[in-house]
Amino acid sequence: MKDYSGVWVYAEHDGNAISRSTLEIMGKGRELASRLGVELSVVLFGYGVSDLVETLIEYGADNVYVSDDERLKYYKTLNYAKLLTELIRRHRPEIVLFAASYKGRDLAPRVAASLRTGLTANCIDLDIGDFEDREKGERFEKILYQIVPAYGGNVVATIITPYHRPQIATVRPGNFQVPEKFPGKGKVFQINFGSEDWDDDVEVLEVERDEEDSKLEKARVIVGVGVGARGSEGVKILKRLAEALGGTLGATRPVVDAGLLPHECMIGETGKVVRPELYLACGISGAAHHMIGVRGAKVIIAINKDPKSPICEAADYIVIGDIFEVVPKLLEKLGKHGDAL
Amino acid sequence: MKQVTEMNIIVLIKQVPDPREYVRIREDGTLDREKTRGLINDCDKSALEAALRLKERYGCRVTAISMGPPKAEDALREALAMGIDDAVLISDRRARGSDTLATSYVLYKAIEKLGKFDLIICGAESSDGGTAQVGPELAEFLGIPQATFVEDFEVEGNHILLRRRMDGGHEKLRLAMPALITVLKEINKPRTTTFSGILRAMNMPISIWSLEDIGAEVDKVGLSGSPTKIMKIEKVNLRRRKILIEGDNVEEKVNNLLRILREEGVLSEVV
């Protein structure tokens, strides 16, 4: 296992730009690589993607393995997995990180199974540390701690992959900040592959870009909607509040399940992870599986009727009151103070 | 071209704890599922429904496989009541604590024993683990194409036509069978079991297989055979400053709230 070295990140993009989640992971990857004293490498697959190499170097890539090929124009699981697995076998990184996106969650398990190694899903943090296996009398230094929320978000588990390499994890988008630019050594390696084991069992018929880029990840202010909003009337006034604050709406699971707000608004263990400047929790009880998604918020303010609600422990400031009284008053005052309304 | 009527479909289902119930966590970090009421995982139920609709249309044979403790038999009994043809439970104490790689290895060995299949349908992810990894890892063991997070699909000759969720939108794919797909719960509305279905299911056999029955190597399963280990479990600390915003009435509270927003610098651009 000693001959495995380096931190790798699999880069996602939409053909025009490197995805935000990849940049977030690169920031963390850079930090892990420095602590291990190894290089950060990024893998980039696609067609017409050579322009994106520069971005990867600006954000800290010491090495970029790029395969720019017409056959890679569309993401195809089998071919992408085969190519990536082969590259990992050849270069033996100790850590490989993917975004926990639809693509990353499709690709990473395929690669991990092919390499017969472990894979930890949806990490909210990563760290480097030691581990002693008392049963087997083995000691491991500087291995990857993969931190995931578990069992409804009330606890976090630290998962390790001590006996297998590479250590592979998918990382929840939104957990880390996009890092400052910090150029790496920037060596570029072109990867060519033969056509002999090219797989055509899957044909991409159509790609639909029908979803707006989520506003949640970029929002400075998020107004969180809980069941205390009591239906669409509450959603309406909270939407006005979000607009007045130059922010957007987020929601708890029950609110989304009730169809009051779309799925992409859901924050928490099974939804999005966000890190706004302000999270204004309105009528939210503060269950751990929701609050774990706003852990990165700079300030959390709760408006809630019930002073015994768990949200009162998990907020920086608490206004005890009915949102149907507090929010209209707040809107009125915000209107007086500026041209925001 | 193969007739659709000869199709063999395998559905993978997992029994998960009722999310409304408290579940004890063992010392080793695994869940004590024995005392809780188990349900069929949401999207696995949709996977069963999808398979049953193909069966009704084309007359395919549907087999459900589950891996878990003996009481996971309840989940398979329910699947039989919904209308599937065969049920297999892989239950072996030594498989307890298997991670996703070990689980997909066991399922792979069981599917090898079952023999021929055309399509494997599983739920996109489980409500308890939520990794979404077992499907793709199994597809890799079997060396077959996959599509994950599928919202809609149909069979066309030897192919599956499908629409899957993708970052920023959707994709339409054509997959050659044999293949594995993982479906989202939105794909359909699963049927409820009928009284006659439950009666019929009561008399149907469920095969229960051990690791030996499927020829799985013991050192590749269970806690010790899993590459990933749970090192520790901690309570999440979500506590913050918890400062009460005072005020005798709504007006005063809102004034104080606005002052704090300004002090915290989160509203400087707006107010």
Side-chain angles (χ1 to χ4, degrees):
Chain A
M1 272 193 332
K2 286 260 188 307
D3 54 342
Y4 282 84
S5 168
V7 177
W8 279 27
V9 173
Y10 174 78
E12 289 190 17
H13 59 85
D14 61 3
N16 300 311
I18 298 294
S19 82
R20 186 187 162 91
S21 54
T22 295
L23 298 180
E24 292 167 6
I25 299 168
M26 281 182 70
K28 193 68 188 181
R30 179 80 254 169
E31 186 192 315
L32 300 176
S34 312
R35 290 181 57 190
L36 291 163
V38 299
E39 293 188 326
L40 174 70
S41 305
V42 182
V43 181
L44 177 65
F45 292 164
Y47 181 50
V49 292
S50 297
D51 290 351
L52 304 179
V53 171
E54 201 52 46
T55 313
L56 298 174
I57 295 168
E58 282 171 2
Y59 281 96
D62 292 316
N63 307 297
V64 180
Y65 296 98
V66 55
S67 197
D68 196 342
D69 190 300
E70 198 175 349
R71 288 170 295 177
L72 297 174
K73 184 173 176 195
Y74 296 113
Y75 168 72
K76 290 185 176 184
T77 313
L78 287 181
N79 293 322
Y80 270 59
K82 212 177 272 179
L83 208 56
L84 183 54
T85 306
E86 187 48 43
L87 211 55
I88 292 171
R89 283 211 172 96
R90 207 182 307 155
H91 296 278
R92 301 173 158 258
E94 63 200 285
I95 293 171
V96 183
L97 306 175
F98 294 82
S101 56
Y102 288 113
K103 206 179 283 171
R105 297 174 83 193
D106 188 77
L107 179 61
R110 201 83 206 200
V111 171
S114 176
L115 296 166
R116 301 290 192 268
T117 187
L119 173 61
T120 304
N122 306 325
C123 294
I124 57 166
D125 205 358
L126 299 167
D127 202 355
I128 300 293
D130 301 338
F131 169 64
E132 198 178 340
D133 186 342
R134 294 208 183 87
E135 232 167 88
K136 292 187 180 153
E138 299 259 8
R139 219 188 123 68
F140 299 86
E141 278 174 11
K142 291 188 170 179
I143 61 168
L144 183 66
Y145 287 0
Q146 305 151 56
I147 296 149
V148 292
Y151 315 137
N154 288 305
V155 293
V156 288
T158 301
I159 311 288
I160 50 170
T161 313
Y163 294 96
H164 295 71
R165 290 293 176 274
Q167 306 158 86
I168 311 186
T170 65
V171 180
R172 285 284 293 274
N175 257 290
F176 306 121
Q177 257 157 333
V178 173
E180 301 279 313
K181 286 184 183 175
F182 182 87
K185 290 178 199 155
K187 279 180 280 171
V188 180
F189 301 88
Q190 303 289 339
I191 309 303
N192 297 308
F193 53 94
S195 54
E196 59 278 2
D197 33 52
W198 195 248
D199 211 308
D200 271 321
D201 282 347
V202 179
E203 198 185 333
V204 178
L205 304 173
E206 201 182 327
V207 177
E208 307 162 30
R209 297 231 170 271
D210 51 3
E211 253 165 49
E212 271 183 64
D213 265 2
S214 171
K215 290 181 225 146
L216 272 183
E217 282 90 338
K218 292 178 205 147
R220 283 184 65 245
V221 175
I222 296 175
V223 174
V225 184
V227 287
R230 303 202 293 272
S232 54
E233 218 27 59
V235 173
K236 214 179 280 171
I237 62 164
L238 293 175
K239 187 159 196 284
R240 281 180 57 210
L241 179 60
E243 280 163 10
L245 295 171
T248 188
L249 286 183
T252 61
R253 176 161 210 118
V255 168
V256 170
D257 282 348
L260 292 170
L261 281 167
H263 195 266
E264 56 260 33
C265 290
M266 192 163 81
I267 295 171
E269 198 200 359
T270 47
K272 293 209 159 105
V273 177
V274 292
R275 26 185 334 120
E277 298 278 308
L278 169 64
Y279 186 65
L280 193 53
C282 298
I284 287 176
S285 68
H289 60 80
H290 175 70
M291 297 311 287
I292 202 150
V294 294
R295 217 168 50 116
K298 190 170 155 245
V299 180
I300 296 179
I301 300 180
I303 303 175
N304 205 296
K305 276 202 297 201
D306 179 8
K308 292 200 193 78
S309 170
I311 189 75
C312 300
E313 296 285 318
D316 295 297
Y317 299 98
I318 303 111
V319 179
I320 300 298
D322 189 334
I323 56 172
F324 288 93
E325 289 170 21
V326 176
V327 174
K329 184 60 84 184
L330 190 55
L331 279 167
E332 183 193 313
K333 304 245 171 201
L334 283 169
K336 269 185 215 156
H337 277 87
D339 46 21
L341 277 180
Chain B
M1 194 178 273
K2 173 186 276 188
Q3 290 297 308
V4 179
T5 46
E6 297 163 15
M7 255 178 71
N8 283 297
I9 303 176
I10 294 173
V11 182
L12 304 180
I13 65 173
K14 181 181 185 183
Q15 193 180 48
V16 294
D18 187 332
R20 287 159 301 191
E21 270 181 63
Y22 175 77
V23 184
R24 197 177 70 88
I25 302 165
R26 290 195 191 92
E27 289 280 291
D28 61 8
T30 58
L31 285 184
D32 184 0
R33 295 177 209 268
E34 266 137 52
K35 286 182 201 72
T36 60
R37 202 163 76 93
L39 304 172
I40 298 179
N41 180 49
D42 259 357
C43 26
D44 301 356
K45 225 175 193 179
S46 299
L48 285 167
E49 177 64 34
L52 289 170
R53 288 185 190 182
L54 287 180
K55 177 183 160 73
E56 279 156 4
R57 214 160 135 199
Y58 304 112
C60 343
R61 191 159 189 90
V62 181
T63 306
I65 307 179
S66 190
M67 171 175 164
K71 72 165 198 151
E73 218 184 298
D74 299 345
L76 288 164
R77 192 70 62 193
E78 189 181 339
L80 285 167
M82 281 172 76
I84 62 156
D85 301 291
D86 299 293
V88 176
L89 175 64
I90 309 152
S91 194
D92 195 309
R93 288 195 68 80
R94 292 164 296 177
R96 189 174 80 77
S98 291
D99 71 357
T100 60
L101 188 79
T103 301
S104 45
Y105 167 71
V106 169
L107 292 169
Y108 158 64
K109 297 304 283 185
I111 288 168
E112 246 190 1
K113 181 183 161 97
L114 272 178
K116 64 180 172 42
F117 68 90
D118 302 285
L119 179 62
I120 299 174
I121 312 178
C122 29
E125 62 186 314
S126 64
S127 62
D128 57 347
T131 69
Q133 287 172 186
V134 170
E137 291 191 325
L138 171 63
E140 178 63 29
F141 274 109
L142 290 164
I144 57 171
Q146 75 185 42
T148 49
F149 308 106
V150 172
E151 276 187 346
D152 193 17
F153 76 94
E154 56 186 290
V155 174
E156 190 195 69
N158 285 336
H159 290 85
I160 300 282
L161 286 178
L162 64 93
R163 184 165 186 264
R164 63 160 306 200
R165 212 177 272 172
M166 216 357 151
D167 308 297
H170 292 84
E171 269 181 10
K172 283 183 183 159
L173 306 179
R174 193 205 312 271
L175 242 64
M177 288 194 283
L180 179 147
I181 61 172
T182 79
V183 299
L184 293 163
K185 75 169 179 212
E186 292 82 6
I187 194 170
N188 56 40
K189 197 172 176 301
R191 67 197 63 193
T192 47
T193 49
T194 60
F195 184 63
S196 63
I198 294 168
L199 276 184
R200 173 180 159 270
M202 266 167 38
N203 298 314
M204 289 175 76
I206 294 177
S207 313
I208 298 177
W209 291 349
S210 67
L211 294 178
E212 279 78 16
D213 291 332
I214 56 175
E217 294 169 49
V218 175
D219 62 354
K220 287 185 180 166
V221 305
L223 276 177
S224 62
S226 295
T228 59
K229 321 265 174 213
I230 300 169
M231 192 177 89
K232 60 176 174 193
I233 286 191
E234 292 160 298
K235 271 215 112 99
V236 191
N237 187 4
L238 294 165
R239 291 170 72 92
R240 287 194 174 224
R241 289 174 280 172
K242 47 174 183 171
I243 301 163
L244 192 69
I245 297 182
E246 313 266 355
D248 290 335
N249 52 44
V250 176
E251 177 102 24
E252 274 180 35
K253 285 181 185 173
V254 168
N255 282 336
N256 288 332
L257 172 60
L258 283 166
R259 183 177 47 78
I260 281 157
L261 290 174
R262 256 176 258 119
E263 278 170 15
E264 289 284 349
V266 288
L267 268 198
S268 50
E269 289 161 35
V270 180
V271 186

